[in-house]
Structure formats: C-alpha cells, structure tokens
Amino acid sequence: MSTELRNAPLIPITETVLFSGTKNRIYVNETIGNNIRKLINKGITQAVGLTTKTYHAYDLLTEEDFYKTGVLIYLDNIQKSDNGYIVDIRTGSRVMVDDIDNGVAGLNAMYHEAEPADDLTPAEEQEMIDYISDLFKEVGSAFKNVEHVIAILKRLDSLDETIGYLVPMMGISIEKKQAMLEADSKKQRALLFLDEVVKQKDSIHFQIELQKKYGQQKEKQYREAMIREQIKNLQSELQDMDEEEEGSYVERINASDMPEDVKKMALKEAQKLEATSPQSSEYNVMVNYLDLLLEMPWTVESKDIDIKKARERLDADHYGIEDVKKRIIEHLAVMKLKKDKQGSILILAGPPGTGKTSLGKSIAEALEREYVRVSLGGVHDESEIRGHRRTYVGAMPGRIIKGIKQAGTMNPVFILDEIDKLGYSNQGDPSAALLEVLDPEQNGTFADHYLEVPYDLSNVFFIGTANDLSTIPGPLLDRAEIIELSSYTENEKMHIAKDHLIRKVRKEHGLTEDMLTFEDDAVKKIITDYTAEAGVRGLTKQISKVARAAGAKIVSGDVDKVVVTEDNLADFLGNKTRMHDKTQDTAEPGVVTGMAWTAVGGEILFIEATHMPGNGRMIITGQLGDVMKESATIANSLIRSRLGGDQTGFDFSKHDIHIHVPAGATPKDGPSAGVTLTTALASLILGIPVDPKIAMTGEVSLSGKVLPVGGIKEKVIAAHRAGARTIFLPKDNEKDIMDIPEEVRNDLNIKLMGTVDQVIEEALNVQVHQSREYFPLTLNTPNDSERNSVRF
C-alpha cells in the first residue's frame, strides 16, 4: 500500500458510490460543473471522487460531510445539460483522503492510494466472477437489456470491475455500497456484495411476480372498463325502455298530484328536456330537477290526533317534566281542534341532556307522523336553508326541502336541532332564512331557490331545540311558542336512571338484568358525586362506564353477576369527582348562605363580610361581575342608611368593609345576591350571626324593596340538598313555588319577603320600625327577650 501523500481536486459525488475500474456518466450542478471545466481548461484531468454523507450546497460542504474512502477519477468529457453538466469519467484505484481544503478551482483533497490485499489467486478471482455472473443471470430478468449486461460481464476480467459495474443496478443503500468500497481485501468486498445479492434475490423474484400480476391486472382493468361501458350502454337502453313503459316525464307529471301552478312549471321544464341532447351538461340538471318535483309529496295524509295516546307516549318516554308535557298536550289539543292546518311551531329550550330532541321524537311517535331531524349547529350559509339556484354547478335543494322529501309526507314532525347555534357569514344569515320557514303567515308558500316553486310547509310540525334563547334573534323567537325545560331534580334523575337509562345501557353493552344490577343508593351516589349537570347525559356516561367494567369482569370469568352498591361504586368509577357545598354547622356574624343558578343546576354560595379600621372604603373580591358589584354597593347604601351613626355605634367613615364570595376562581354575576349581601352586612354591623340553615335569594332596590329573580326551582333544590331548612324568597316569586318538586317543598319552610326590613327582622331576630326619628338601639331587653330591636 502506497502511503505517499498527493494533492488533487475533489469532486463531490452524491447519491451513489464509485468503484474502481469502471466507466461512468455523472450529473453535477452548475457550481461543480464550472469547476470541472476550469480544471479541464488547465489540463488537469485527474481528481478524487468522494461520496457525501448528506446533501448540502457546494459552498457549505465541510470535511465532516464526506466519507474518507473514494476513488481516483479521470475526466474524459463534459457537456452542458438543462440543469447542470454531464461528465464522462473513468475510475482508478481506491484512495484514502487525509485532509480537505479549498483550492483554486474549488475543494482539494490530500490523499494516498489504498490498494487491497492480494488475498485471491487469479483462479479464485475468476471463480468468484463466474459465480457472480451466474447469480446475475438467475435474477437478471428483473433488469432491462439483460442480454447486453451479460455480454459486458463476459468481457470483464477483474473482480473490482464486475462489482463496480453491477452495484449501481442493485437496490443497495449508500452506506452498504460505501462499506464495500472501504473493504481492504477483494475477498471481503466480494463477500459483502454476494451477501447483498442473496438478500435481494427473493425480493427480485417477488418484483418479477408483481410485474406479471401488474400486467395481468392492467389487462383485467381494461376488460372491466370495456364491460362497464357495455353495461352502461345496456342500462341506457333499459332506461329508455323503462321510460317507455312508465311514460315520458310529461305523462308522469300529468299523472302526478302536483298543484296546477307547479305542474305547469314542470311541464315546461320537461318540454325543454325533450329538446336537449343527453350529452349536454344541462341534461342531467334538468333530469334531477324533474325527479325532485316528482318525488316531493304534494298532498297531506291527514291523521286524527289521539290526545290520550299522545299523553301515554310522553309519559312512557319521559319521567317528570309534567309542566312541559302538559303544555305539549295543550298544543296538540289546539292542533286537533284546528283540523285544517296540522302544523305548529315550538321551541324547546333548556340545558344539555334534558331530553329536548327525544321529546320531539316522542311527539312524532304519538302523532304517528314521520320524524325528520336536521342539525343546524354551525350552519352559516343561507343556501343550507333555501338551497342553491340551479344555475350553479352542484346545486341542490336546502335542508328543509330535502327533509320533506326524505319524510315522504307534507306533515312530518321536523326537528330543527341546535337552532341557537346558527352562524352567519358572507354567504348570508340562515336565521333570517328561517323566518319564512317558521312564520305561519308565510310558510304556506315557502320558496326554495332550487325548487323555484312555492311549497306549503303549513302542515309541518316544526320543533326547534336550543340551550340558550339569548342567541336566537328576536324575530325568530316571536314566531314560535317557547317551552322551557329546567334541570332535573335528583329524584327525577333517579327515576330516569332506573326506568330508562340502566335498561338502555345494558342493552347497548350486551348485558342483561341477570348480569348487571344497580342498588338505589349506588344510583343516587352516581348522581350526587359523579355528575354535575342539569340533564342526564353525564349520568348515562357514568352508568356506561360501570357497564364496561362489569362486562370485562364477566367476560374474564371472574364473576357471573355484578351488583353495584354504594360501597363498591368507587371500584368502577374511582374517587368522586363532584363536591357540593354544604350549609355550615356554626353561625358567624357577617356570613350568610345565598343561592345561585348555573347552567347545570343550582348551587349555594356564601357571602362573607368583615370590617377593619380604615376610611370608609368597600372592598369586593371573589371575581364578581359588574351587576353583582352594583348589588353590593346598593346593599352597603341600604345598611349605612339604616344602621349608621349613633343608632348602632358603628362609624362607617372610620372602617373599611370587605365583602368576599368564595370560590374566587369561578366568575359570578347577577342581581339575585342583593338580599344576601344586605343581610351579611347587617349581621356584620350588629354582630348577630344568621342561622346557617337559612338560604336566601332576591334582588334589592335602593328603596329597600325585594324584587323577583329567576331560577327559583334550581336554587331551592340546591339549598335543600345542601342542608338548608328555611328559604327566603321574593314575594313576587310566590308563583314559582309550585314549580318546586313536592318532596322538596314539603321539607322546607319557605318565607316570602317584600322588603329588606322584613329580611333583617326574620334573619337577625331584630325588629325594625319604619320611622325617620332617632331611637336608641335596644338589644335583648327584659320586656322583649325573644326579639332584638333596632329602631330608627
């Protein structure tokens, strides 16, 4: 091996490895090609070819980007190509590069020749060449011009030349090719090459099989295409024959029950169709339009409304919500009396999971009408409601007409689901398009852009569902009767779970009552400790979770039956995920229990107040909204006007008052905490604690009146669950008391309040005299030991 260091230009070789003793044609980019031209012009025709490890721009190449072993190359010719240069080269001996630097015409390499060890005799080398040639003949059919390749192999008398000629044809990675080049002995290099040939032998045979199958597949596809074309022609002939049997579009239109104005329009379109070539792009558009007109229902199938049956169906499908079912029955009764128009428009509004959509389905079953549901959530294009004009490519009717066509009758029960989640965009406002659909004065002549003829929707029973009425435009609400569904009580959820959900979940999971049962206490615990919702959707998920765990135990053979109890419930659902506030056991001045409404039902909250030396400021914390802050300001003014100065001995100008509503991370707002805030401040100033079992709600005015608020049912249920036994409600909310479940109502002492003074008297056991003159404060006098007295 020669160790003499020499210097030569370096030519980067990408995506291949050059072997000794071969002729090659390489493609180089503009930069390398210009450098090679400079070398040839200077008479330099010898260079070192080194393969790069990664691809980089020529100017960014460093010594680390090259392998260390390469070959000498002799530059025979260079010519320009479209994207660079084509260079004809011959390769010489292997070289080892010791250093790379920059030269006059690009990169330079310091190298020494690396000759292989002479470990093969001429006979052994020839035997190896013959073996390689035979192997190649066996798999050579996978290559193009195999005869030409075999002819060249016969002329090669060097093992290095044979390997160097065949390697580029094999699917061998750059790393493995480089490993062959770096092998010091011919025998080692030959063994590495043979190893790769053997590995790829089966792969090559597989490729040959694939090529054969591909050819067969192409032939099969051609035959299938021809057969399909023949089938298409036959179907066309059969269609023509069917049309002759059924009659032309004109005959079918005349025989249909379309209204006369619609029939006139359809006949005009049919005549245009007959004059249109089937190859025309308009032909299929007209055919689809006429098919829609013929498939649309144009007459009403009248069915008498059985009120008793409707009531039984609603009771069977839905537990509780008596007021809602009562209003639906009243609505159906009016429809029965009207007789001529059997349509109606309802909007069922309430929290998620309270059964709005399923109520619509029950109404359809009770009326024995077809049921159609369209989800409007996220719809932001007017064309989704009214359809596209037929002049557009891919035009289609709107969802209303498609739903009527699907139902096959003019008087289905049509559910407009999630009507409060309609959007709007540059394509129009779909809620505005619904105005015509839901207006009884207009929907008798509904105009769909695709249909282009008036369609009567006055017999359709439209039922919209919504979670939040505030997002529905006012004109749309005005056209419908609103029925609000409130949250279910725990008792109602218990009955729904026992009568409906558990049976449904067992069926969905392939279980029977003999395999899975729930004790009542377990169901109650799931409701109270694992769900936080107004409806029962989350309850269904938790029961399903238990069913999956029980199914796994039964299938694995651990048990034959699973009984879910309060004690083993945590084994299925883990630790409880919901914590409810409970009323406090001890009373403290300045702390009062209030009631709040949330989207998933009611909750109690505590109003806490304290004072400290200061200059009359009021500090409010607990992430309260603007309305609730205003309520706190009104409460402060009411208390200062009644309990300030010498009446109580409390000097507001020398004290700061701090009001806090716990759960500071939860936003809170609304006016209904006014009564609670006022009572908390009165309790603080007088130093008299309020019974923690008293819960209250109500808005207060600056004149001291207690004003009505909403969400009474949910608030009272939550207070009862938390342990409250006395409830203060605004006097004007007396009408809402009957909405409270009877079992809750009977367990509470509900008191109605008209003024703040009444609230203070009841909560603090203090009598307030409505007088403007000054009276000294008297507490626990011998003559009135049961009541404290504040007079002012």
Side-chain angles (χ1 to χ4, degrees), residues 464-625:
T465 70
N467 300 129
D468 185 4
L469 291 176
S470 65
T471 61
I472 302 177
L476 200 57
L477 285 177
D478 290 342
R479 286 161 168 78
E481 180 176 352
I482 311 299
I483 297 181
E484 296 196 37
L485 285 79
S486 59
S487 59
Y488 290 116
T489 66
E490 290 182 6
N491 185 50
E492 287 172 336
K493 290 181 180 180
M494 169 74 79
H495 282 280
I496 291 170
K498 291 170 60 180
D499 297 343
H500 301 282
L501 301 183
I502 293 176
R503 184 169 63 246
K504 174 186 172 185
V505 168
R506 274 199 296 245
K507 184 177 179 181
E508 289 176 349
H509 291 76
L511 300 170
T512 64
E513 190 173 355
D514 294 333
M515 300 167 71
L516 174 64
T517 57
F518 288 80
E519 291 187 355
D520 289 353
D521 290 340
V523 177
K524 184 177 180 181
K525 190 174 181 66
I526 295 175
I527 295 168
T528 57
D529 294 346
Y530 292 91
T531 63
E533 57 178 348
V536 293
R537 196 166 289 157
L539 177 58
T540 305
K541 292 179 181 178
Q542 296 297 335
I543 295 173
S544 297
K545 188 175 179 180
V546 173
R548 289 193 294 271
K553 287 187 175 183
I554 293 171
V555 170
S556 62
D558 297 339
V559 294
D560 295 326
K561 180 178 181 179
V562 174
V563 178
V564 183
T565 66
E566 185 179 5
D567 295 332
N568 67 9
L569 183 62
D571 297 337
F572 299 97
L573 298 180
N575 295 328
K576 60 183 181 179
T577 58
R578 187 185 183 194
M579 302 292 292
H580 292 288
D581 287 328
K582 297 291 185 182
T583 55
Q584 297 179 354
D585 295 326
T586 58
E588 301 176 33
V591 179
V592 181
T593 304
M595 296 184 288
W597 179 91
T598 71
V600 294
E603 283 290 352
I604 65 166
L605 52 79
F606 301 103
I607 306 292
E608 301 176 346
T610 188
H611 62 78
M612 64 210 80
N615 53 12
R617 290 187 309 140
M618 184 171 67
I619 304 166
I620 302 174
T621 56
Q623 201 173 164
L624 308 186

Side-chain angles (χ1 to χ4, degrees), residues 338-350:
K338 283 196 306 182
K339 293 184 179 179
D340 57 338
K341 294 294 184 182
Q342 294 293 306
S344 188
I345 300 164
L346 291 179
I347 290 183
L348 304 177

Side-chain angles (χ1 to χ4, degrees), residues 699-710:
E699 181 180 358
V700 295
S701 69
L702 197 57
S703 61
K705 295 179 180 178
V706 178
L707 305 179
V709 294

Side-chain angles (χ1 to χ4, degrees), residues 146-192:
V146 63
E147 294 84 2
H148 175 70
V149 174
I150 293 173
I152 293 177
L153 283 176
K154 290 180 179 179
R155 296 199 298 267
L156 299 177
D157 54 5
S158 164
L159 184 58
D160 283 339
E161 290 179 355
T162 302
I163 293 174
Y165 179 68
L166 292 178
V167 161
M169 303 180 190
M170 309 294 291
I172 303 174
S173 66
I174 296 295
E175 292 78 7
K176 291 181 179 180
K177 290 179 181 179
Q178 185 67 29
M180 293 180 199
L181 179 65
E182 292 175 359
D184 287 334
S185 71
K186 289 184 179 181
K187 184 176 182 179
Q188 183 182 0
R189 188 175 306 116
L191 290 175
L192 288 173

Side-chain angles (χ1 to χ4, degrees), residues 379-450:
V379 172
H380 55 80
D381 188 347
E382 180 198 5
S383 299
E384 294 280 348
I385 306 299
R386 287 188 178 276
H388 304 82
R389 298 192 184 278
R390 286 189 292 132
T391 52
Y392 296 108
V393 176
M396 64 181 78
R399 296 194 180 198
I400 303 299
I401 293 299
K402 283 197 288 188
I404 298 295
K405 176 189 170 186
Q406 174 189 340
T409 176
M410 289 186 73
N411 62 341
V413 173
F414 203 119
I415 305 297
L416 301 171
D417 217 2
E418 310 294 355
I419 198 172
D420 58 325
K421 296 175 180 62
L422 283 168
Y424 63 91
S425 64
N426 294 332
Q427 284 74 37
D429 186 354
S431 63
L434 278 176
L435 293 177
E436 182 183 2
V437 175
L438 300 183
D439 191 338
E441 301 298 326
Q442 301 180 49
N443 64 9
T445 55
F446 173 67
D448 183 274
H449 290 157
Y450 184 89

